[in-house]
Amino acid sequence: MRDRPPSAPETSPAPGTRRRVVRLFTPYRAAICAVVVLIAAYSALNAAVPLLTREVFDRALFGPGGPDLPLLALIAGLAAAVACAVGVVDLGQTWLSARVAQRVVHGLRTEMFGRLQRMPLSFFATERGGEIQSRLAGDTAQIEYAVKDTLPGMLSGVTGSVVAAGAMAALSPALAGVALVLAPLVLLVASRSGRALENLSAVSQRARAELSSIVAERLSLGGVTLARVHGRRDDEAARFAAESERLARLGVRAGMVAQWVMSVGHVFFVLTPYLVFVAAGLTDGITPGTLAAFTVLQARLYQPLWQILHVVTEFRSALGAFERVFDYLDLRPEPEPEPEPEPEPEPEPGPGPRRSPASGPGALAVRGAGFRYPGAAEEDRPALYGVSLGIPAASATLVVGPSGSGKTTLGHLIAGLHPPTEGSVAIDGEEIRAPLPGRICIATQDPFLLQGSVADNLRYAAPGATMDDLVRVCRITRIHERITALPDGYDSLVGERGALLSGGERQRVALARALLADTPVLVLDEATSALDPLTESEVVEAVLAERAGRTTVMITHRFGVLESFDTVVALDGGRVVEHGTRLDLLGDRRGLYSRMVRAQTGA
Ligand SMILES: Nc1ncnc2c1ncn2[C@@H]1O[C@H](COP(=O)(O)OP(=O)(O)OP(=O)(O)O)[C@@H](O)[C@H]1O
């Protein structure tokens, strides 16, 4: 289950959303005020042009005494100056809006990325890859567009309409009244269809997220291989096509609703000038110049109205995007480790040999620890429970047990990948509730290699490592020869998730990377499972021989011939059933470890 608040339906943004959006922009209020001023200046300058048109008609061309060419030239010069000023103001406004939009979106993106990085691993086990991608890239792009284009569009629409209406009223209050009489009707139609468009946009956004989830999962190396192996390529294509067609249909519907508004508006737009002409015919003292200026202003009145309608729709769908982003920002990340924890009392050793209290760098103490995966049913037993172990510094411990007995879970608790849901795990008296880089490292069965070279991947653990360091750890994991045989040696690329290497090679590179981290504690969770048995025991023996005081906890299924361990821990059903030296446990012929060794060696 996801540890997150349920998201509200996308068609009705939560009441807090608008307030949160406003808060996001509060730090930029100075820039936003400047944008408003620039937009007002832009609208005012634009409104000046029709007034110049009136002067052209009434004084320069058809004034008393015939055409006045010097005046016409002056007006043309003024119009050019106004046009330049409009350009400059528009540039400034665009620059400021783009800056605010980019800052806000950059802030949201980085905060979201940071928040997701700190989420418990169970979140990534349940959340779909495409969903994260869709929110981090798709929704933020929609917000960016809304802030950069939509918001200034709305402001300039409002100021443009107000200024145009004001100029019309100044020219002739009576004609202005006639020209504005249809405006409320236009707004009504638009607001109705705006809501329909908003719903369509929310549904489209969900379809888009579904589409990117399919792409992320099914067009990965593993997804494509699976589909080929099982002959399901056509089914996959059909599933994608169905979702894509849904999106396409939604797109057509949205286009039709938008066009319907435009068409209705167009009728009003064509009709209104004639209403004005009729009114002008019935009113005394309307000059041709006033009428010409009026016609231009009318266009300036209705065009911004369309802009507002369009913008309101965009903004309402951007609210949906904001909400999906906030939904991720509200996720509860794993708590950060305490800066200075209380020292832990020494643990009671679990079943097994009595040793002197473990101390020193890398001593592990597991006290009554347990773990229940989030979402597991209450009545199910926890994956791990009541585990108490003292693992002395510099020792080598083998963890064995049947599949599903909790070995990996124990390894994850020691590595701090999950905080225990009961009891505690500590290193040198300090509780482990989160990964401790530099102190504990884990190498897993399914290692993750990043795009880049072998050397890049190794140096992820120790950016300052020299070539000699890389060679040293790669010799221990018996991968050095193989790397030098690659076309570019340590600079050879490993491909997506290391796909250009074999499974065993990937594991050995990852194990070398873990060794390079040089931590006092190393957990190996079936980290050599893809190797042939001979190489595996060679690698394991070499890792143990060169551990130089490092505490090593090794989880493996193939332990039959492994002898270099101080202690063996056997898990069954989520708890420790045996804990002792190898020879002690072998002595108990009915014990789990002893039976498993016999099963493997046939002895
Ligand atoms: N992410 C998870 N969410 C829910 N349950 C899980 C999760 N991971 C493991 N489990 C369950 O917890 C139990 C212990 O799993 P764990 O991986 O620790 O076993 P294991 O001993 O390492 O098994 P194997 O030898 O097969 O790797 C299993 O019953 C498993 O189904």
Side-chain angles (χ1 to χ4, degrees):
M1 280 292 289
R2 297 190 323 186
D3 188 13
R4 53 190 295 185
S7 66
E10 295 182 51
T11 45
S12 54
T17 304
R18 285 183 171 81
R19 235 172 299 137
R20 267 180 100 167
V21 173
V22 170
R23 269 207 304 276
L24 271 185
F25 290 95
T26 317
Y28 306 101
R29 50 185 174 267
I32 292 170
C33 286
V35 169
V36 173
V37 168
L38 287 174
I39 285 171
Y42 175 89
S43 307
L45 285 168
N46 257 338
V49 178
L51 301 181
L52 290 176
T53 311
R54 181 177 69 167
E55 297 309 304
V56 168
F57 274 75
D58 289 352
R59 291 175 57 189
L61 289 181
F62 309 113
D68 180 348
L69 290 184
L71 181 61
L72 193 59
L74 179 69
I75 294 175
L78 271 176
V82 168
C84 287
V86 166
V88 170
V89 166
D90 209 15
L91 270 178
Q93 184 272 112
T94 306
W95 180 73
L96 270 178
S97 311
R99 254 172 65 102
V100 172
Q102 296 300 346
R103 293 257 168 106
V104 166
V105 169
H106 165 73
L108 284 176
R109 260 198 309 252
T110 44
E111 194 184 340
M112 208 182 341
F113 188 87
R115 182 66 55 112
L116 288 168
Q117 263 190 324
R118 288 188 287 127
M119 286 305 291
L121 296 183
S122 53
F123 172 82
F124 299 96
T126 49
E127 192 75 332
R128 304 174 68 175
E131 184 67 38
I132 293 177
Q133 179 70 14
S134 148
R135 296 197 197 205
L136 204 61
D139 287 333
T140 51
Q142 193 177 359
I143 290 172
E144 180 188 325
Y145 172 68
V147 178
K148 189 160 59 72
D149 297 334
T150 312
L151 219 51
M154 169 122 89
L155 285 172
S156 77
V158 170
T159 50
S161 303
V162 169
V163 170
M168 285 161 84
L171 283 173
S172 161
L175 289 194
V178 175
L180 287 172
V181 79
L182 292 178
L185 252 166
V186 175
L187 282 177
L188 182 77
V189 171
S191 117
R192 283 280 158 87
S193 27
R195 217 160 296 148
L197 274 177
E198 187 187 334
N199 291 348
L200 279 171
S201 140
V203 180
S204 303
Q205 188 59 28
R206 279 198 293 268
R208 228 170 273 131
E210 178 64 28
L211 214 56
S212 52
S213 283
I214 295 177
V215 171
E217 188 176 65
R218 308 302 161 106
L219 280 190
S220 62
L221 181 61
V224 169
T225 311
L226 185 73
R228 289 194 187 168
V229 167
H230 294 284
R232 299 289 299 271
R233 214 155 52 176
D234 293 344
D235 298 333
E236 294 296 348
R239 190 172 154 214
F240 183 83
E243 201 57 45
S244 171
E245 199 186 324
R246 197 163 90 87
L247 192 60
R249 271 201 307 269
L250 286 168
V252 171
R253 265 172 64 194
M256 290 311 292
V257 173
Q259 191 49 51
W260 190 76
V261 183
M262 288 299 173
S263 301
V264 172
H266 188 70
V267 172
F268 289 132
F269 189 64
V270 172
L271 202 64
T272 313
Y274 288 96
L275 288 180
V276 171
F277 295 149
V278 172
L282 299 174
T283 316
D284 287 336
I286 303 290
T287 63
T290 304
L291 209 53
F294 225 90
T295 314
V296 178
L297 280 172
Q298 256 177 30
R300 296 266 161 89
L301 176 73
Y302 279 94
Q303 201 189 344
L305 278 183
W306 294 136
Q307 213 168 346
I308 295 171
L309 307 178
H310 170 70
V311 157
V312 165
T313 317
E314 287 292 333
F315 193 69
R316 282 165 87 166
S317 42
L319 276 183
F322 268 115
E323 198 164 350
R324 282 186 294 273
V325 167
F326 290 153
D327 198 20
Y328 265 15
L329 293 183
D330 289 338
L331 291 170
R332 259 176 295 149
E334 269 178 350
E336 295 287 326
E338 298 286 320
E340 275 185 42
E342 292 289 311
E344 247 313 88
E346 279 309 322
E348 306 251 332
R354 294 247 153 223
R355 286 177 173 274
S356 56
S359 62
L364 298 168
V366 184
R367 279 168 58 94
F371 188 74
R372 181 185 284 281
Y373 283 96
E378 271 304 306
E379 60 275 14
D380 289 351
R381 70 159 172 81
L384 206 65
Y385 63 98
V387 174
S388 292
L389 296 168
I391 299 178
S395 65
T397 302
L398 176 69
V399 179
V400 301
S403 181
S405 56
K407 303 181 296 294
T408 293
T409 308
L410 176 62
H412 282 192
L413 292 194
I414 293 173
L417 292 173
H418 305 304
T421 44
E422 62 177 63
S424 67
V425 182
I427 171 173
D428 302 329
E430 183 183 326
E431 219 180 299
I432 307 169
R433 297 194 64 80
L436 297 175
R439 296 179 71 185
I440 306 172
C441 187
I442 183 167
T444 58
Q445 176 177 21
D446 184 20
F448 196 91
L449 295 190
L450 300 161
Q451 283 271 16
S453 67
V454 175
D456 293 338
N457 271 284
L458 291 168
R459 285 207 177 96
Y460 195 83
T466 63
M467 202 58 215
D468 286 347
D469 295 331
L470 305 192
V471 170
R472 185 182 57 81
V473 289
C474 287
R475 280 193 200 282
I476 298 176
T477 65
R478 305 295 188 260
I479 190 70
H480 171 69
E481 310 289 321
R482 177 72 193 107
I483 296 173
T484 47
L486 291 171
D488 295 314
Y490 278 80
D491 291 325
S492 307
L493 299 178
V494 300
E496 172 76 12
R497 298 200 63 173
L500 302 180
L501 300 177
S502 79
E505 288 164 356
R506 265 201 301 277
Q507 282 193 338
R508 278 176 290 166
V509 169
L511 183 53
R513 177 173 62 189
L515 290 176
L516 199 60
D518 201 19
T519 48
V521 174
L522 178 62
V523 179
L524 305 177
D525 182 5
E526 296 186 45
T528 46
S529 59
L531 273 58
D532 64 274
L534 293 181
T535 314
E536 179 174 30
S537 41
E538 206 180 308
V539 170
V540 170
E541 297 296 346
V543 167
L544 293 177
E546 312 220 18
R547 71 181 193 270
R550 175 182 299 127
T551 313
T552 308
V553 176
M554 180 165 178
I555 298 163
T556 178
H557 280 298
R558 281 188 295 181
F559 47 82
V561 295
L562 297 179
E563 297 180 355
S564 314
F565 287 93
D566 301 312
T567 320
V568 176
V569 173
L571 294 178
D572 197 5
R575 56 193 186 93
V576 176
V577 289
E578 287 170 33
H579 180 200
T581 64
R582 184 174 164 271
L583 291 178
D584 279 353
L585 297 194
L586 278 180
D588 178 1
R589 291 189 54 79
R590 285 188 303 169
L592 178 62
Y593 174 68
S594 170
R595 281 185 289 128
M596 289 179 91
V597 168
R598 281 203 303 280
Q600 281 186 28
T601 57

